[in-house]
Amino acid sequence: MQMRALLLGLFLPGLAHAGGVDVLSFEAASQRWQPIGALAVPSAPPGAGSDACVNLGFLVDSNGATSAFAVLRAWSSGTVSGENDDPQLDLYARHAAAAVQTWRFRAAAGNTKRRPVYTQATFVFRAQRGADAALLRARCDVGDLRTHVEQAYGRKFRRGDLGKGQLDRNRQQYPWQIPEGCARHAGWCD
């Protein structure tokens, strides 16, 4: 899926180790960033005949705007199990991202530093009136968001999809960015 590639291939390396960006569930993120107005809900894509769910990760930046949309997990009743490049799932994901792109947040009283957060939202698209929304939502649950993001990053890194050579060159070229004692991240102790 094209949007999944965006998350795991491009955005995740910077996010997973970026200082000042916390990875939080939507409920925890709402303690720091409160929505301005009603949050738009995505509509089903035209001609969608399948029940589907999309768990979309996104960044709430220091201005309260959303960006860096990425599919964390998606499922559709019309998709063959294990198929990652289904255009129908991509269409659902694009509709979800279009809705989240309109969302705006304001910093909560305790968020005086306006720290950005990476969070998620799960959207359910029901084609059948009798479809159980809770069951559909459960199909796209990722559990602990931080663990899910770290595991996804680790899988991509082990496969070499994140440009290991570039990361190693950056470490050599900018050694002053690696903290003394390797206390913050075990990977910096190599």
Side-chain angles (χ1 to χ4, degrees):
M1 186 179 302
Q2 294 170 358
M3 292 191 67
R4 183 172 291 148
L6 172 67
L7 166 71
L8 301 177
L10 300 176
F11 179 65
L12 196 58
L15 170 70
H17 303 292
V21 177
D22 294 323
V23 180
L24 302 172
S25 69
F26 190 77
E27 292 78 24
S30 65
Q31 299 299 316
R32 292 189 189 176
W33 291 98
Q34 298 171 341
I36 298 174
L39 299 178
V41 178
S43 61
S50 301
D51 295 329
C53 63
V54 173
N55 189 323
L56 189 72
F58 60 96
L59 180 73
V60 178
D61 68 18
S62 60
N63 295 321
T66 58
S67 62
F69 309 106
V71 175
L72 301 176
R73 185 166 290 154
W75 178 87
S76 170
S77 61
T79 302
V80 177
S81 180
E83 188 175 319
N84 290 328
D85 295 325
D86 184 345
Q88 185 176 9
L89 279 177
D90 192 49
L91 190 58
Y92 284 111
R94 289 177 188 278
H95 276 254
V100 174
Q101 187 173 15
T102 65
W103 293 3
R104 295 294 178 262
F105 296 86
R106 70 174 150 263
N111 189 10
T112 56
K113 293 186 179 181
R114 303 177 63 87
R115 286 184 58 134
V117 296
Y118 190 77
T119 190
Q120 66 183 357
T122 303
F123 301 98
V124 174
F125 301 92
R126 292 187 299 181
Q128 312 299 322
R129 288 193 184 259
D132 184 2
L135 181 61
L136 287 171
R137 184 175 304 280
R139 288 188 178 272
C140 288
D141 185 29
V142 296
D144 179 35
L145 179 61
R146 175 172 283 290
T147 301
H148 180 79
V149 168
E150 288 173 353
Q151 288 174 349
Y153 176 75
R155 284 190 302 271
K156 296 297 267 187
F157 188 79
R158 283 189 297 278
R159 285 197 307 253
D161 295 347
L162 297 178
K164 287 183 185 178
Q166 183 63 42
L167 293 174
D168 290 338
R169 283 189 296 280
N170 285 345
R171 262 190 227 121
Q172 291 172 355
Q173 188 174 2
Y174 305 108
W176 60 87
Q177 293 180 352
I178 301 172
E180 293 294 324
C182 307
R184 290 187 57 201
H185 186 278
W188 289 339
C189 296
D190 296 18

